[in-house]
Amino acid sequence: MTLVTAALADHWPTTLRTERLVLRPVDRRDFPVVEELLTSPAVRRHLGGPVPAERIAARQQGYAAMTGCFAIAPAAGGQTAGLVSIEADSRQTGRAEISYQLRPSDWGRGLGREAVAAVITWWTSVAPQTTEVIAVTQESNTASRKLLEAVGMVLADTLVEYGARQSLYTLAPPGTTASRDRRPREHHCGA
């Protein structure tokens, strides 16, 4: 069991609250939104395309069973806006990776930024021993890159993964400003 997996097991399940959101473990009531996220060409544009219908039920169950996967629910009630998760990074031991996806109808309202910031704040308070929190997004996904920068993450690396150029972000060290002149290394993973 990795350090990240052990820390998640020690602190899960949990519910986080922000001004506008309740972040809670995914459950069956979120399955219609999970299906929307998995089948939306707009959402899946940078995630390998829509998931085939025969895989939807298994993916819904997988999100519900996943330690560290939050449904992004409006605090005032209403339909789930999306998902945000934190889990052990599969690329490097000891790192936690944050991922997120929102329904297109909820884009542009700052909900993703609010949810991601809340999960990062929670994680760094309950698991300060983890060395790094990362997020990976396609280089062409400008909105996602802006979200990551808005929550204090900085471009640390680039890689080619699943046939696309990816940008790897990490939290900026406290009290520092990222240099825009830094040239990240490039790696090739997956195909």
Side-chain angles (χ1 to χ4, degrees):
M1 180 179 289
T2 70
L3 186 63
V4 173
T5 304
L8 276 167
D10 287 345
H11 299 286
W12 192 259
T14 194
T15 298
L16 309 176
R17 297 183 194 294
T18 69
E19 183 178 328
R20 299 182 295 164
L21 303 171
V22 175
L23 306 173
R24 56 170 174 69
V26 174
D27 61 35
R28 295 191 66 73
R29 70 186 136 170
D30 304 308
F31 284 8
V33 171
V34 171
E35 182 174 1
E36 180 182 345
L37 293 169
L38 294 173
T39 59
S40 167
V43 172
R44 302 293 302 172
R45 178 176 175 213
H46 298 286
L47 298 171
V51 174
E54 64 272 9
R55 293 189 191 159
I56 300 296
R59 296 285 293 271
Q60 289 168 320
Q61 294 294 333
Y63 283 124
M66 182 181 168
T67 300
C69 189
F70 296 91
I72 304 169
Q79 192 172 32
T80 302
L83 306 173
V84 61
S85 63
I86 191 152
E87 62 184 323
D89 175 27
S90 62
R91 296 167 199 86
Q92 181 177 317
T93 302
R95 292 194 310 201
E97 181 176 5
I98 194 159
S99 303
Y100 46 90
Q101 46 190 316
L102 286 164
R103 295 174 30 223
S105 60
D106 290 305
W107 290 357
R109 298 177 38 215
L111 300 177
R113 182 179 60 245
E114 191 172 324
V116 170
V119 172
I120 289 172
T121 298
W122 167 74
W123 180 252
T124 57
S125 72
V126 300
Q129 72 278 13
T130 58
T131 57
E132 193 172 11
V133 176
I134 66 148
V136 177
T137 189
Q138 279 192 15
E139 192 174 87
S140 61
N141 191 344
T142 304
S144 184
R145 292 174 53 216
K146 285 180 181 178
L147 181 153
L148 294 171
E149 290 165 5
V151 300
M153 297 189 90
V154 295
L155 181 63
D157 212 347
T158 61
L159 55 124
V160 175
E161 194 171 61
Y162 309 112
R165 291 187 59 80
Q166 308 286 336
S167 297
L168 186 145
Y169 283 79
T170 189
L171 286 177
T176 64
T177 311
S179 168
R180 298 267 182 212
D181 298 329
R182 180 168 182 218
R183 294 186 181 263
R185 299 175 313 258
E186 183 174 307
H187 301 280
H188 293 267
C189 306

